């Protein structure tokens, strides 16, 4: 890859030209990284529902044309001025909520909402100069949450990359850059269930399963999975879920069902669906010492 350092790279990317319209595989030009930026060869990328949500552009500011994608793994191709923690050949995961390591949030043990690199779904350009590193025939193609992994190469701020062990299989660890870290981190770092506690997990998709795993690692004695799909329970058992509740099986609100099951309410609840109704249920199923986390 050294022959490409400092040069524009032409590669394939899935470009969203308009909201809700099929992505088009295009040849794009990817500029070299500028100060504090890294150009990464994307080896594996996954599809997250967040990509779909912003592709549909429902309820948010549409930014098009755009290259989506944020759940991936890749190899550093080249680095820009000032980058010292990464070098060409390093294996990395892109992270849509980055860390500058200098602001008050980065230095706090209670927050990861970096003043510089917190998630911004409206920004489609790089912070260094306010320009995109993607283009087609001189027309800028906008970035997505600082990652844009639906491209064979992407330029990413160094604070939005995590170095990983090169022995780690990229097709497996790519989900650590989004779904797994979201659920696991919310449980272990925010909800912090005490050993022996009871935890309710609302939604048993990828994020919910990761949240359940976090509760299991923390030592929760009961992990109650709440989902409308009964087929998910068998898989959820592998991640520590001990009981399953399907709201459709009951004639009362699920929070009342959970309260009855747990003598007044669970110790912690983690909501992983994004549904307002589920959020209400997750909040109301916790007993008087409230701890609810929303993923």
């Amino acid at each position: 890859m050294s022959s490409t350092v400092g040069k524009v790279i032409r590669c394939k990317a899935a470009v969203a030209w308009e909201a809700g319209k099929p992505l088009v595989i295009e040849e794009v030009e990817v500029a070299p990284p500028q100060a504090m930026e890294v150009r990464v060869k994307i080896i594996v990328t996954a599809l997250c529902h967040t990509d779909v949500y912003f592709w549909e552009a429902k309820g948010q500011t549409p930014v098009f044309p755009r290259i989506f994608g944020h759940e991936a793994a890749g190899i550093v191709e080249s680095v820009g001025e000032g980058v010292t923690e990464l070098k060409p050949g390093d294996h990395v995961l892109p992270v849509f909520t980055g860390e500058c390591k200098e602001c008050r949030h980065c230095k706090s043990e209670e927050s990861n909402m970096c003043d510089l690199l917190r998630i911004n779904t409206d920004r489609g350009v790089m912070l260094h100069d306010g320009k995109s590193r993607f283009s087609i025939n001189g027309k800028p193609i906008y970035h997505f949450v600082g990652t844009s992994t639906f491209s064979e190469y992407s330029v990413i701020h160094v604070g939005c990359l995590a170095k990983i062990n090169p022995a780690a299989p990229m097709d497996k660890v790519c989900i650590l850059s989004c779904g797994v870290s979201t659920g696991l981190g919310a449980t272990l770092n925010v909800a912090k269930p005490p050993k022996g506690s009871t935890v309710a997990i609302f939604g048993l998709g990828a994020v919910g399963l990761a949240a359940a795993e976090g509760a299991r690692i923390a030592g929760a004695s009961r992990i109650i999975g709440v989902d409308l799909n009964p087929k998910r329970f068998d898989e959820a058992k592998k991640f520590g879920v001990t009981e399953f509740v399907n709201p459709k099986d009951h004639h009362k609100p699920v929070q009342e069902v959970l309260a009855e099951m747990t003598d007044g309410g669970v110790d912690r609840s983690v909501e992983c669906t994004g549904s307002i109704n589920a959020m209400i249920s997750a909040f109301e199923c916790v007993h008087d010492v409230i701890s609810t986390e929303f993923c």
Side-chain angles (χ1 to χ4, degrees):
M1 289 189 288
S2 59
S3 62
T4 59
V5 173
K7 300 177 182 178
V8 171
I9 291 179
R10 290 177 173 82
C11 67
K12 299 294 184 181
V15 178
W17 290 99
E18 297 180 59
K21 298 294 179 68
L23 305 186
V24 180
I25 302 300
E26 304 275 15
E27 183 178 85
V28 300
E29 295 183 341
V30 185
Q34 300 302 308
M36 303 308 291
E37 296 173 2
V38 178
R39 189 160 60 184
V40 178
K41 182 177 183 180
I42 302 298
I43 304 300
V44 178
T45 188
L47 175 66
C48 175
H49 192 269
T50 300
D51 297 308
V52 177
Y53 178 77
F54 284 92
W55 164 68
E56 291 175 337
K58 295 179 179 179
Q60 79 276 155
T61 304
V63 181
F64 294 95
R66 200 170 207 182
I67 297 174
F68 288 105
H70 61 279
E71 192 173 69
I75 301 174
V76 173
E77 176 269 340
S78 59
V79 302
E81 180 184 354
V83 176
T84 57
E85 52 266 72
L86 293 173
K87 64 183 185 302
D90 284 344
H91 289 209
V92 291
L93 298 177
V95 183
F96 55 85
T97 299
E99 295 183 6
C100 71
K101 300 180 182 178
E102 298 295 332
C103 72
R104 58 179 179 170
H105 289 287
C106 286
K107 292 180 179 180
S108 168
E109 294 182 358
E110 301 300 324
S111 171
N112 69 337
M113 298 302 290
C114 175
D115 288 337
L116 179 68
L117 298 172
R118 70 176 61 192
I119 185 171
N120 183 340
T121 57
D122 294 337
R123 187 178 67 237
V125 295
M126 299 301 291
L127 292 170
H128 175 67
D129 57 5
K131 296 180 180 179
S132 173
R133 301 291 175 258
F134 299 110
S135 63
I136 297 178
N137 297 323
K139 179 181 176 64
I141 308 298
Y142 296 108
H143 297 250
F144 176 63
V145 295
T147 53
S148 292
T149 61
F150 290 175
S151 174
E152 291 179 314
Y153 285 85
S154 186
V155 177
I156 301 170
H157 191 284
V158 65
C160 291
L161 290 167
K163 184 178 178 180
I164 61 172
N165 189 324
M170 290 191 176
D171 61 334
K172 302 293 192 303
V173 299
C174 67
I175 59 173
L176 290 171
S177 67
C178 179
V180 170
S181 57
T182 300
L184 191 76
T187 304
L188 288 176
N189 299 329
V190 183
K192 299 178 181 178
K195 188 173 182 179
S197 60
T198 299
V199 180
I201 308 292
F202 284 75
L204 296 175
V207 175
L209 293 178
E213 177 68 8
R216 185 194 66 78
I217 292 172
S221 60
R222 296 178 70 184
I223 303 173
I224 305 170
V226 181
D227 202 292
L228 299 173
N229 184 356
K231 294 180 180 179
R232 289 181 167 179
F233 186 41
D234 284 341
E235 188 68 21
K237 289 179 180 178
K238 301 175 184 177
F239 294 84
V241 175
T242 58
E243 300 158 73
F244 181 78
V245 175
N246 185 339
K248 294 190 295 186
D249 293 340
H250 302 273
H251 299 293
K252 61 180 69 174
V254 69
Q255 55 266 42
E256 294 182 14
V257 175
L258 291 168
E260 291 176 0
M261 291 173 61
T262 56
D263 191 25
V266 300
D267 300 301
R268 302 286 190 274
S269 69
V270 186
E271 197 286 314
C272 306
T273 71
S275 162
I276 293 176
N277 289 334
M279 293 179 188
I280 294 171
S281 297
F283 184 80
E284 294 184 348
C285 77
V286 183
H287 62 63
D288 293 343
V289 183
I290 295 174
S291 182
T292 303
E293 175 62 17
F294 303 104
C295 293

